[in-house]
Amino acid sequence: MLKIVVLGSGAGGGVPQWNCNCEVCAAARSGTGEVVPRTQSSIAVSADGERWTIFNCSPDIRQQVSDRAELWPANGHYRHTPIQSVVLTNADVDHLSGLLILREKQAYEVFATETVLDVIAENPIFNVLDPQFVSRHALAENKVTQVGEGLFVEPFLVPGKVALFNEERMLAEEDSLKIGEETENTIGLKIFSEDGDASFFYIPGCAMMTTPLAERLTGASLVMFDGTVWFDSEMVSGKLGAKTGQRMGHMSMSGERGSMAAFAPLGVERKVFIHINNSNRVLMESSPERAEADAAGWEIAYDGMTIELR
Ligand code: MLT
Ligand code: MN
Ligand code: ZN
């Protein structure tokens, strides 16, 4: 058994984003229901319904914990958390900065690749996570690792890029950002229960579908996948920014090289878009984009979405 709760289905900035008045953000503020507000990218997974692992830790984690009774301290303890561990798929600010909220001398474990652990290690602000309580563990490509009670992950590299705040340094050091290359900067995860009966894939950031990734995902019962943008240049044409989805390390949903086309032949039973940016019109319940995603068999994650795998 695996229980999955989507804590935050939005990409960095959330929906609405504090300084954005695009069509989607404005609709989210209007309260009409056309766009349901979303917090930033994170899921919680439990193999026993009691102890939880957080996958990616957004700056909204405080609100997300407050909103989910499963994640509250148990009765009879003054200090307690059902959160056993945090697993990171990259060092992007929307996935990492929530760790600063999960402080206060509470024991739990953090799992990430060496590359991402290095980002944490070289930023002294993360010393607020007292090393006496919070232990850090490396995830290695294709190495099955236990991350919680009865809960395992198999990490694999996916096309991505270094975190935005480290781009300039990487350019200075290596003269190239290697966007779309498979490095320890960005991983996907197969997440599964001890007996292996329940499993799914969590890939909130991916710059492109590769043949090995397509083979890995073929026939999966559930994939939660990067839904950042609908089309590559939507931030540019929406006058929201200068960057394309590709430049940010995200493949788009639509188009010949998009994720909907890439998944069409893979026979995945349940496909859920997650990490959805507020520029993406798929968030509008009555948009043609939403209808197209529906027709292609995709679900659009929302905060509080709960999935049980048996
Ligand atoms: C991303 O998903 O591309 C990043 O979260 C962007 C950011 O760092 O804000
Ligand atoms: Mn992000
Ligand atoms: Zn917006």
Side-chain angles (χ1 to χ4, degrees), residues 14-26 29 235 240 277-280:
V15 187
Q17 177 174 310
W18 73 283
N19 64 343
C20 190
N21 209 11
C22 75
E23 193 181 6
V24 175
C25 288
R29 286 190 190 95
M235 300 269 296
L240 304 175
N277 197 50
N278 61 73
S279 57
N280 191 332

Side-chain angles (χ1 to χ4, degrees), residues 1 38 48 88 90 112 114 174 177 257 289 298 302:
M1 190 283 290
R38 285 167 167 85
D48 65 4
L88 305 171
N90 62 26
E114 292 280 8
E174 308 213 14
L177 282 177
R257 294 166 55 83
E289 289 85 354
W298 283 86
Y302 51 90

Side-chain angles (χ1 to χ4, degrees), residues 17 29 40 87 94 118 130-131 135 149 164 170 173 184 187 193 195 200 211 216 221 226 236 260 276 292:
Q17 177 174 310
R29 286 190 190 95
Q40 296 169 80
V87 181
D94 53 342
D118 285 348
D130 188 333
S135 53
E149 192 63 37
L164 176 61
M170 175 140 185
E173 283 170 8
E184 281 204 347
I187 57 171
S193 59
D195 57 17
F200 73 105
T211 305
R216 195 187 280 275
S221 51
D226 184 342
V236 182
M260 291 193 297
I276 308 162
E292 201 178 322

Side-chain angles (χ1 to χ4, degrees), residues 232-252:
D232 195 46
S233 57
E234 74 185 29
M235 300 269 296
V236 182
S237 61
K239 299 189 170 48
L240 304 175
K243 284 185 185 164
T244 61
Q246 275 302 302
R247 174 63 184 75
M248 296 187 293
H250 300 290
M251 69 192 285
S252 47

